[in-house]
Amino acid sequence: MPRTADHDQRRAQILGGLLRVAARDGLHAVTMRSVAAEAGVSLRLVQYYFTNKALLMRAALDRLDAESRARWADRLAALGPAPGPRARVGALLAEALPTDGPSRLFHLVWTSSAVLALTDPDLAAQAFTAGPARLERDLAAALTADRDHLAPGADPATEAARLLALAHGLGTGVLSGLRTPASAREVLDYHLDRLFPGLPAPATDAAPGDTEATHGAGTSAEAT
Amino acid sequence: MPRTADHDQRRAQILGGLLRVAARDGLHAVTMRSVAAEAGVSLRLVQYYFTNKALLMRAALDRLDAESRARWADRLAALGPAPGPRARVGALLAEALPTDGPSRLFHLVWTSSAVLALTDPDLAAQAFTAGPARLERDLAAALTADRDHLAPGADPATEAARLLALAHGLGTGVLSGLRTPASAREVLDYHLDRLFPGLPAPATDAAPGDTEATHGAGTSAEAT
DNA sequence: ACCCCCATGATACGCCTGTACCATAATGGT
DNA sequence: ACCATTATGGTACAGGCGTATCATGGGGGT
């Protein structure tokens, strides 16, 4: 095989361009040409490495999903061994808030795609509803396991639904600039205070990089 | 003036076409030509009555906003004189749930536009954040007035934020088919039960037309 | 009865989109 | 050393988009 290039690196470079365009100009501005220009490659290369636009978008969403899962795992690992129920639930939901650059990018692109999927049938094949549904089931199971720490009369399944709806609502509030990441976290802690009475909020729980919500936030871009 | 046509009716007809296209195929499928075809008029007429696409979209959003406010006012009026605090808050938030056809249409188009406005600067001039911000302030004020009915230790401002975030999260859950309108209403009632302890849910509060969530719901279409 | 102007039709223009096609340097296996 | 194959560039094509332009029928004010 002659002149063999690093396909993974090339693909990452192109996807980085895509995400930068999406973050800056919105998902509708993501075209083959704009991605190529932003990534510093020719249009032909985007075709070569991703065949067509649908596959390109799918790869981008897959990458975002993987990054998000990784951040979530990091957050859980950072809790140390045997974290309390509230800390675990808090870590889970903190990832649902677009607090820093990469997270904001993820939520922007993901939300845009989910909205498109509402009417686009083949995009809907993506896990836009399966993912959240599974998350809600898992959360309900976790709450059921910890039910003796919950407020009296609380129903784990409904509490799981309430938590996820709240987190999502807060997330879009932050995304639209209606709410700062800090205030969203406050509301979330307020909610957890009432869900887990007697369990205080962990001390320095806040992640770094909480800034005033601004448009056109930082890009994550590089490397897989 | 020769051959004078009813501009208002023509504009309503065209906007009806736009909303039908948006509901069926998504906001990205709304073009001058598709709207004209759906409304049964020529492309030129859409130009004639709305000048350009930006103004057309603005008119559509204005109409949706007006319709939504009207439904909200109806819901409040249907409560009869001197409604309890919980009934009033419930009526306010019920409108945030896409339960029937027109409401679903509104939320679909509104959410799509709001997501576009995240990166499109001149669309952002629309009241996508001003509206919700005012709503939250009003709700906070109402809760402050009714603070003696609230759960002990509740903070009205935070409760207002929590309510709206929850309602929005539930709304998008319904929109995406993740949740049925009925289950969203249940979660909302569950929340209100805890916010207003001792105040029961009003009897036949449910609006007509609660159906299983499906894609491509009914259109509202006609009349201003 | 005239005529101006509102309301509408048809069509053209330039741009951007995704995709397809043709060419060609460079290089690893033989 | 050759040659087939990978990786890349350039460009063409058909279609859809928003917008602009030209044409014209038909009914009210005078």
Side-chain angles (χ1 to χ4, degrees):
Chain A
M1 285 148 193
R3 192 151 70 116
T4 198
D6 187 341
H7 274 223
D8 286 343
Q9 185 237 321
R10 270 278 192 249
R11 287 171 65 94
Q13 172 188 1
I14 292 174
L15 288 183
L18 186 154
L19 295 179
R20 251 173 288 139
V21 170
R24 173 165 24 90
D25 305 327
L27 201 60
H28 60 276
V30 170
T31 74
M32 296 275 156
R33 286 170 174 83
S34 68
V35 168
E38 181 72 32
V41 300
S42 74
L43 167 62
R44 181 65 180 84
L45 272 208
V46 181
Q47 292 185 272
Y48 183 73
Y49 283 104
F50 293 96
T51 310
N52 57 34
K53 191 179 180 181
L55 289 178
L56 172 65
M57 287 304 305
R58 207 155 96 80
L61 290 176
D62 283 349
R63 166 166 162 180
L64 280 180
D65 190 38
E67 286 181 355
S68 173
R69 288 174 190 275
R71 278 199 307 275
W72 178 71
D74 286 351
R75 231 183 264 266
L76 272 189
L79 291 180
R86 174 175 173 154
R88 236 180 311 127
V89 171
L92 193 100
L93 295 181
E95 187 52 35
L97 260 40
T99 51
D100 54 2
S103 179
R104 178 184 168 84
L105 172 61
F106 167 76
H107 282 280
L108 178 63
V109 176
W110 200 261
T111 303
S112 300
S113 303
V115 167
L116 281 187
L118 289 180
T119 49
D120 186 328
D122 45 337
L123 232 187
Q126 207 80 8
F128 287 115
T129 60
R134 194 173 56 84
L135 186 57
E136 182 169 329
R137 280 203 314 276
D138 291 353
L139 184 56
L143 290 182
T144 303
D146 297 328
R147 72 157 23 118
D148 32 331
H149 295 102
L150 261 47
D155 172 53
T158 310
E159 291 294 350
R162 192 156 69 125
L163 270 169
L164 287 184
L166 177 71
H168 180 221
L170 288 174
T172 59
V174 170
L175 216 52
S176 66
L178 187 66
R179 195 175 305 284
T180 67
S183 98
R185 183 97 64 173
E186 276 175 33
V187 176
L188 195 56
D189 279 336
Y190 178 95
H191 186 90
L192 291 176
D193 284 343
R194 278 146 187 80
L195 180 57
F196 294 106
L199 292 190
T204 319
D205 181 44
D210 281 13
T211 67
E212 185 77 12
T214 55
H215 276 28
T219 67
S220 86
E222 302 313 328
T224 17
Chain B
M1 287 154 186
R3 193 149 72 113
T4 197
D6 187 341
H7 274 224
D8 286 343
Q9 184 237 320
R10 269 279 192 251
R11 287 170 65 94
Q13 173 188 0
I14 293 173
L15 288 183
L18 186 154
L19 295 179
R20 251 172 289 140
V21 170
R24 174 166 21 93
D25 305 326
L27 201 60
H28 61 276
V30 170
T31 74
M32 295 276 159
R33 286 170 172 84
S34 68
V35 168
E38 180 72 31
V41 300
S42 74
L43 167 62
R44 181 65 180 83
L45 274 207
V46 181
Q47 292 186 272
Y48 182 73
Y49 283 104
F50 294 96
T51 309
N52 57 34
K53 190 179 182 182
L55 290 178
L56 173 66
M57 288 303 305
R58 207 154 95 81
L61 290 176
D62 284 349
R63 165 166 162 180
L64 280 180
D65 191 38
E67 285 180 357
S68 174
R69 289 175 190 275
R71 277 199 307 275
W72 177 73
D74 287 350
R75 231 183 264 266
L76 272 189
L79 292 180
R86 174 175 173 156
R88 236 179 312 127
V89 171
L92 194 100
L93 296 183
E95 188 51 35
L97 260 41
T99 51
D100 53 2
S103 180
R104 179 183 167 85
L105 172 61
F106 168 76
H107 282 280
L108 178 62
V109 176
W110 201 261
T111 303
S112 301
S113 304
V115 167
L116 282 187
L118 289 180
T119 49
D120 186 328
D122 45 337
L123 232 187
Q126 206 81 6
F128 288 115
T129 60
R134 194 174 57 82
L135 186 58
E136 183 169 329
R137 280 203 313 277
D138 292 352
L139 183 57
L143 291 182
T144 304
D146 296 328
R147 71 158 21 119
D148 31 333
H149 296 101
L150 261 49
D155 172 50
T158 310
E159 291 293 351
R162 191 155 71 125
L163 270 169
L164 287 184
L166 178 71
H168 180 219
L170 289 174
T172 59
V174 171
L175 217 52
S176 67
L178 187 66
R179 194 176 303 286
T180 67
S183 98
R185 184 96 63 170
E186 276 174 31
V187 175
L188 195 55
D189 279 336
Y190 179 95
H191 186 90
L192 290 176
D193 284 343
R194 278 147 187 79
L195 179 58
F196 293 107
L199 291 189
T204 320
D205 181 44
D210 279 14
T211 68
E212 184 77 11
T214 55
H215 274 30
T219 66
S220 87
E222 302 314 327
T224 23

